[in-house]
Amino acid sequence: MTLRLDAVDGGFDIYAGVALVIRHRPDSPALFVGTGTPLVDMYRGNYFLEDRLAERIALRGATIDGDTILLSAEGSATLLTVTLRDGALHLDAHDAVLNRFWLTCVGDAGERFWGGGEQLSYVDMAGRRFPMWTSEPGVGRDKSTLMTFQCDRDHRSGGDYWNTNYPQPTYLSSRRYALHVDTTAYSCFDFRDAAAPEIAVWEVPARIELFAANRFAAIVEQLSTRFGRQPLLPEWAYSGAILGLKDGTRSFERMEAMLAAGAIVTGLWCEDWVGLRVTSFGKRLFWDWKANDARYPHLKQKIAELNDRGIRFLGYVNPYLAVDGTQYGEARDVGYLALKLDADEPYLVDFGEFDCGVVDFTNPAAAAWFAERVIGQEMLDIGLSGWMADFGEYLPTDVRLYDGSDGMLAHNAWPTIWAEVNARAVASRGRTGDAVFFMRAGFTGVGAYCPLLWAGDQCVDFSRHDGIGTVVRGALSSGLVGNAYHHSDLGGYTSLYDNVRTPELLMRWSELSAFSPVMRSHEGNRPDSNLQLDGDRQVLAHFVAMTRVHAALAPYVAHLCAEAAATGLPLQRAMFLDYEDDEASWDVETQFAYGRDLIVAPVIAAGAARWSAYLPAGAEWRHLWSDETYAGGQSVEVAAPIGQPPVFWRTDSDFAALFAAIAMA
């Protein structure tokens, strides 16, 4: 990719490929620096941030020397040096006091901006403002709804459209370039002014990286190379369903009943393998990361028996230790916990009616201890083949870390550091590409370590900003910044204020999960109040049928996994990655291409008997269930009864026989 600097009219222009990205003139500067003080309030993973800004300085003066730009305010010495090298703008502030940075880019009317990590409400970020700060996404996530109002009122947890577990300061422009800010500081992408999108950062970042290519897919390939590609998903993870049951030894009995009903199951996920504690939010886990013998007696032996039958066992872990568990004392006594700023004692985080210590992964000994002592010995060595690696987004900003890191800079870095600890443990047992952990939290570089994303804690409903549809947007946006594998909690997770699952929701979510790389169910935060897959005969029969569809797709998914390893293209992808010349496909956010050969338009609204799908131009498409063919380049409406989500396949696909057989099974 060619990064070009042109001196123009006392300023300069910077191009990424053929796209003009930065236009700087003395009377309309593109770069600013300044100083400010952050105001941070955190309550149970929900963050409220403000900036007490002291000054913002326009860098109007620009002196160009080869590939170096010296920037200054009027009448001042150089404040910022920008050097173009290796496809990036390398930034060097000349005054250590400067801790704010702004860049105004060039925009066009109608330009789209995709990415931003995993965005759950909008894939195209144009016209809106997106802070980049990992946190709880909130419940409801729409300030106009009753659910969000109630959660804000009672728990400060309502959230907004931009809240996400996995932000990333990276966007892909429809002008065929991408921009990434190399920082872990708080940043914000503001796309409200189409002509002048602005980036704000609470530090002077090390680099602004630019990528460009003639095709969108080539840019995504560059991004996946830059941020790291996941290993191939193992066959067991996508060749059958992973049942999420947290019912102690009854989990095995319930799994057997579902197998007897005909479900194809390759994994049993029991997050309660460590025991439970009951809180006002619902059933929570006991955060002491070892098998709870009372709840799961003889677990190692049971896991071995399941393995002999081709069924893997999965658990749960996070980077915090409950103060009433044994591992907290073990870590505290050897100095592996993060400390308070003003005292030599562990920093405790309130997780909702119980407190936890923070394992300090900036201490190499602490990271090694957790990887070996906790994940290695207590999990992998008893036979676990995977786990939910939860809660990477909670690191407080007012914490004292071993390496002296500023909490404001460590916070966003924490999910990637947490992912690396898990990956190191897996590698230590030679199980990379076999054991699979999945994470909701992320930031730049998480894909180099985390083999599988999950979409977080959706509400158990069809709501626009927090229900089933957000899973599709999360897969599309995260895929565009280089993450190949994405999935969700089948049935959703969060049930509050009498919002509970309906049979229809469970069945529609089973359909979506069948056409996802990993089909994994979850009982939710209040399992006793919510319908479960085995709690209704019709729901179970439908789930069984969808596990068979999911398993039948395994050869195609294996092909997509190999493609992802070679190119970085996500399995569930925005249609324009394969059908870029059809601009009508650029704006579709509620369906996805499952590889090049399938179009999936999941039903994400209640009460729908028919559903529309857009079929991209450049191919002829066959409806999976009716066998009717359609020309591409149009929207079609088809019958969408329960059990027949709108799915279409290319008639010239190498997998045509496989797709045709699914509807006949």
Side-chain angles (χ1 to χ4, degrees):
M1 188 275 292
T2 301
L3 193 62
R4 189 174 94 235
L5 170 65
D6 292 345
V8 184
D9 298 334
F12 56 88
D13 291 337
I14 296 177
Y15 291 81
V18 298
L20 174 61
V21 180
I22 300 172
R23 178 192 293 117
H24 185 93
R25 302 291 186 273
D27 60 346
S28 57
L31 292 96
F32 303 77
V33 292
T35 58
T37 303
L39 303 176
V40 182
D41 180 18
M42 189 270 277
Y43 182 73
R44 296 180 180 176
N46 299 281
Y47 284 82
F48 310 89
L49 292 88
E50 296 181 30
D51 192 16
R52 184 170 293 166
L53 184 63
E55 62 179 340
R56 172 175 161 131
I57 305 167
L59 300 178
R60 299 184 184 279
T63 302
I64 299 174
D65 181 10
D67 289 331
T68 298
I69 309 167
L70 303 176
L71 291 158
S72 61
E74 290 180 309
S76 76
T78 298
L79 292 177
L80 182 70
T81 298
V82 179
T83 304
L84 277 66
R85 186 177 68 249
D86 301 326
L89 282 65
H90 295 255
L91 310 179
D92 181 21
H94 289 227
D95 187 339
V97 174
L98 297 173
N99 62 3
R100 296 293 181 269
F101 172 83
W102 296 266
L103 170 65
T104 302
C105 296
V106 174
D108 281 347
E111 185 173 358
R112 287 87 158 178
F113 299 94
W114 301 296
E118 182 188 50
Q119 293 296 330
L120 301 171
S121 289
Y122 300 101
V123 181
D124 180 4
M125 299 184 287
R128 295 180 176 85
R129 177 178 177 273
F130 289 83
M132 299 291 156
W133 186 259
T134 179
S135 70
E136 284 280 8
V139 180
R141 304 184 67 255
D142 178 356
K143 296 303 185 187
S144 70
T145 64
L146 176 61
M147 174 67 75
T148 308
F149 168 78
Q150 291 172 311
C151 288
D152 277 338
R153 179 196 63 197
D154 297 339
H155 311 290
R156 304 180 69 194
S157 63
D160 213 328
Y161 71 86
W162 51 266
N163 288 114
T164 175
N165 301 113
Y166 174 16
Q168 182 172 313
T170 310
Y171 70 76
L172 169 62
S173 164
S174 58
R175 292 195 293 127
R176 294 177 177 82
Y177 80 91
L179 182 149
H180 171 69
V181 184
D182 186 16
T183 184
T184 59
Y186 170 91
S187 60
C188 183
F189 286 176
D190 191 341
F191 299 114
R192 290 175 294 183
D193 182 348
E198 184 179 76
I199 299 163
V201 189
W202 288 6
E203 73 164 354
V204 177
R207 296 186 301 170
I208 305 292
E209 301 176 45
L210 293 166
F211 308 82
N214 293 328
R215 308 291 289 181
F216 294 135
I219 299 175
V220 171
E221 182 172 359
Q222 292 178 43
L223 294 176
S224 68
T225 300
R226 162 64 177 87
F227 302 128
R229 291 185 191 164
Q230 299 88 348
L232 286 171
L233 273 183
E235 183 180 359
W236 69 264
Y238 58 77
S239 58
I242 298 173
L243 295 180
L245 300 171
K246 47 181 177 183
D247 204 5
T249 55
R250 286 198 66 244
S251 298
F252 301 111
E253 300 167 14
R254 292 171 62 191
M255 180 195 71
E256 297 296 346
M258 296 170 83
L259 287 168
I264 298 180
V265 175
T266 55
L268 174 63
W269 174 49
C270 297
E271 59 175 347
D272 64 329
W273 75 289
V274 292
L276 288 180
R277 76 168 81 229
V278 178
T279 71
S280 61
F281 183 75
K283 290 184 177 179
R284 304 286 299 275
L285 306 179
F286 191 76
W287 293 10
D288 197 39
W289 312 120
K290 58 187 178 182
N292 185 291
D293 292 334
R295 195 161 182 83
Y296 286 93
H298 312 296
L299 183 58
K300 184 174 182 178
Q301 176 184 339
K302 191 64 179 178
I303 292 173
E305 294 169 356
L306 290 176
N307 283 339
D308 290 342
R309 298 168 58 190
I311 300 173
R312 304 295 189 104
F313 186 86
L314 297 87
Y316 174 101
V317 69
N318 70 49
Y320 303 98
L321 303 174
V323 296
D324 50 351
T326 60
Q327 290 168 347
Y328 171 83
E330 190 176 335
R332 178 199 58 207
D333 292 346
V334 290
Y336 289 165
L337 299 177
L339 303 176
K340 294 180 178 179
L341 284 176
D342 56 357
D344 290 331
E345 59 185 76
Y347 190 112
L348 299 183
V349 180
D350 173 12
F351 279 92
E353 299 167 41
F354 61 97
D355 292 335
C356 295
V358 182
V359 181
D360 186 351
F361 296 133
T362 71
N363 180 345
W369 172 82
F370 200 98
E372 172 60 27
R373 172 71 182 86
V374 179
I375 299 177
Q377 295 176 17
E378 299 289 358
M379 299 172 66
L380 287 164
D381 288 354
I382 70 167
L384 270 69
S385 289
W387 52 87
M388 176 181 281
D390 205 0
F391 281 110
E393 62 284 282
Y394 267 64
L395 184 73
T397 59
D398 59 340
V399 65
R400 178 151 50 106
L401 298 171
Y402 176 86
D403 70 349
S405 297
D406 182 343
M408 287 296 297
L409 298 177
H411 174 81
N412 275 338
W414 214 248
T416 303
I417 295 170
W418 169 227
E420 185 178 7
V421 170
N422 284 266
R424 182 189 304 176
V426 172
S428 74
R429 300 306 193 265
R431 297 191 63 187
T432 302
D434 176 53
V436 176
F437 62 91
F438 45 99
M439 295 177 58
R440 66 178 189 176
F443 200 71
T444 303
V446 73
Y449 306 108
C450 175
L452 176 64
L453 297 179
W454 114 86
D457 298 344
Q458 279 73 32
C459 280
V460 292
D461 58 27
F462 293 97
S463 59
R464 165 65 179 85
H465 290 277
D466 202 9
I468 183 174
T470 60
V471 172
V472 178
R473 292 181 173 88
L476 296 181
S477 57
S478 61
L480 288 168
V481 295
N483 297 279
Y485 307 115
H486 190 275
H487 78 303
S488 65
D489 293 337
L490 192 166
Y493 174 79
T494 304
S495 176
L496 295 171
Y497 302 106
D498 300 319
N499 183 34
V500 295
R501 291 169 171 168
T502 64
E504 180 186 18
L505 177 79
L506 266 182
M507 291 190 282
R508 290 303 193 189
W509 217 309
S510 290
E511 294 167 3
L512 170 58
S513 295
F515 291 91
S516 303
V518 172
M519 184 180 192
R520 176 187 55 81
S521 65
H522 199 311
E523 293 200 299
N525 67 308
R526 293 184 173 175
D528 297 339
S529 303
N530 279 268
L531 180 63
Q532 303 299 336
L533 290 169
D534 56 350
D536 178 280
R537 183 174 300 177
Q538 181 185 7
V539 169
L540 177 57
H542 177 266
F543 173 72
V544 167
M546 289 299 105
T547 68
R548 294 183 174 277
V549 170
H550 181 73
L553 286 168
Y556 180 61
V557 175
H559 162 74
L560 297 183
C561 290
E563 180 185 56
T567 68
L569 288 177
L571 277 66
Q572 296 167 289
R573 64 186 67 155
M575 292 190 297
F576 60 74
L577 291 182
D578 291 300
Y579 302 97
E580 178 173 333
D581 297 330
D582 182 358
E583 290 196 24
S585 72
W586 294 13
D587 298 322
V588 179
E589 299 190 356
T590 56
Q591 64 182 65
F592 56 90
Y594 200 21
R596 176 176 174 268
D597 294 351
L598 284 178
I599 298 297
V600 181
V603 177
I604 55 175
R610 299 182 64 82
W611 199 255
S612 294
Y614 182 78
L615 305 178
E620 180 184 63
W621 299 95
R622 179 160 292 162
H623 185 224
L624 182 65
W625 312 107
S626 70
D627 214 31
E628 186 172 350
T629 59
Y630 298 89
Q634 63 171 327
S635 291
V636 299
E637 185 180 275
V638 296
I642 296 291
Q644 295 186 6
V647 177
F648 303 82
W649 50 274
R650 283 181 65 116
T651 57
D652 62 349
S653 170
D654 292 341
F655 293 88
L658 183 150
F659 300 145
I662 288 175
M664 299 171 59

